[in-house]
Amino acid sequence: MTSETPQQSLALDLTAVSANNAAVMGRFMEGLSRAPLPPERVDPTPVRVVRDIAYGAAPGADLRMDLYLPPSTTAPTPLIVWLAGGGWRHQRRGYGPRLSRLFAERGYAMADIEYRSSEVDVWPAQLHDVQDALDHLHALAGTYGLDPASIGLWGSSSGAHLALLTAFATDADGSPRVPGVRAVVAGYPPTDLLRLNEDALPGGMLGVDPSDPAWGLLGGPPSDRAAAAVEASPVRARQSGRQGQF
């Protein structure tokens, strides 16, 4: 009869967790890449699309956005900014809903923006990219008839995480870092990077190695980078009073 040592048991547990993490991320990325087939006939919409607007020159990244503009209106158009998810690593423009057939044809402008992958740069590069994109949209407001005082942020997963932090961010004097954000729709965002393992659903991803998205975002285990993990946690930003314009 044989028995496992604690070290052997731990190694087996970590192997199982890593395998499960890879499976979960694989299913997630497969879901992102499998857009439903369009109907055989799609009636054209009166939406104007402006692609590949450069908004930043971050090291190692050529950051761009696409704008979806409604038919001409006499009043400035409210703006909804879409932030795709992908574990802070794999997000791309076009990962998300069909923006031209949602709000843009109903009188809202839509922006689909990029932000740096954690494989290019770690936190807080991603937040800075979103802020820079919104600054650029403010600068383009006159050109495209946007209302810079009526901005909504909409994201999923890591994109939702960044949407929340962008809305909460303030300057040194307490004023909003990005003015004009009036609403956030955040789909399943990670909100506390120090408690991801405790908050994980049964069978979900656990942070045990560099394949963990939060590990990649921070450049190491959140427990080893507690200050950065706190700064990058929307719930802790809220608790600390960094509430932006909300």
Side-chain angles (χ1 to χ4, degrees), residues 27-35 85-86 90-91 94-96 156 188:
R27 291 194 298 271
F28 177 71
M29 294 309 301
E30 182 181 8
L32 286 178
S33 65
R34 284 190 175 183
H90 305 295
Q91 62 279 348
Y95 275 11
S156 65
Y188 51 96

Side-chain angles (χ1 to χ4, degrees), residues 112-206:
D112 183 2
I113 72 172
E114 297 175 336
Y115 54 92
R116 270 173 287 179
S117 167
S118 61
E119 294 177 344
V120 173
D121 207 347
V122 296
W123 173 265
Q126 295 71 28
L127 178 62
H128 291 167
D129 290 345
V130 176
Q131 293 170 339
D132 289 347
L134 286 165
D135 289 343
H136 195 60
L137 286 165
H138 272 263
L140 294 175
T143 302
Y144 293 109
L146 309 176
D147 183 355
S150 300
I151 298 173
L153 304 179
W154 179 23
S156 65
S157 191
S158 58
H161 162 266
L162 293 171
L164 289 171
L165 286 170
T166 300
F168 292 156
T170 59
D171 287 329
D173 62 0
S175 61
R177 165 61 182 81
V178 179
V181 176
R182 295 290 176 256
V184 176
V185 177
Y188 51 96
T191 57
D192 191 341
L193 300 193
L194 286 174
R195 290 187 51 87
L196 290 177
N197 284 355
E198 291 89 336
D199 293 341
L201 295 173
M205 291 189 67
L206 296 177

Side-chain angles (χ1 to χ4, degrees), residues 53-138:
I53 300 173
Y55 78 85
D62 176 21
L63 297 173
R64 296 176 182 267
M65 67 175 80
D66 298 331
L67 267 180
Y68 299 80
L69 301 170
S72 298
T73 60
T74 57
T77 304
L79 172 66
I80 299 172
V81 178
W82 167 251
L83 299 167
W88 301 287
R89 284 184 176 132
H90 305 295
Q91 62 279 348
R92 298 287 187 277
R93 276 181 297 160
Y95 275 11
R98 188 177 298 171
L99 301 182
S100 63
R101 299 196 64 83
L102 291 171
F103 299 100
E105 64 180 6
R106 293 173 173 82
Y108 295 84
M110 302 286 301
D112 183 2
I113 72 172
E114 297 175 336
Y115 54 92
R116 270 173 287 179
S117 167
S118 61
E119 294 177 344
V120 173
D121 207 347
V122 296
W123 173 265
Q126 295 71 28
L127 178 62
H128 291 167
D129 290 345
V130 176
Q131 293 170 339
D132 289 347
L134 286 165
D135 289 343
H136 195 60
L137 286 165
H138 272 263

Side-chain angles (χ1 to χ4, degrees), residues 204-226:
M205 291 189 67
L206 296 177
V208 297
D209 59 31
S211 69
D212 170 44
W215 187 315
L217 176 69
L218 300 176
S223 59
D224 291 352
R225 289 162 171 75

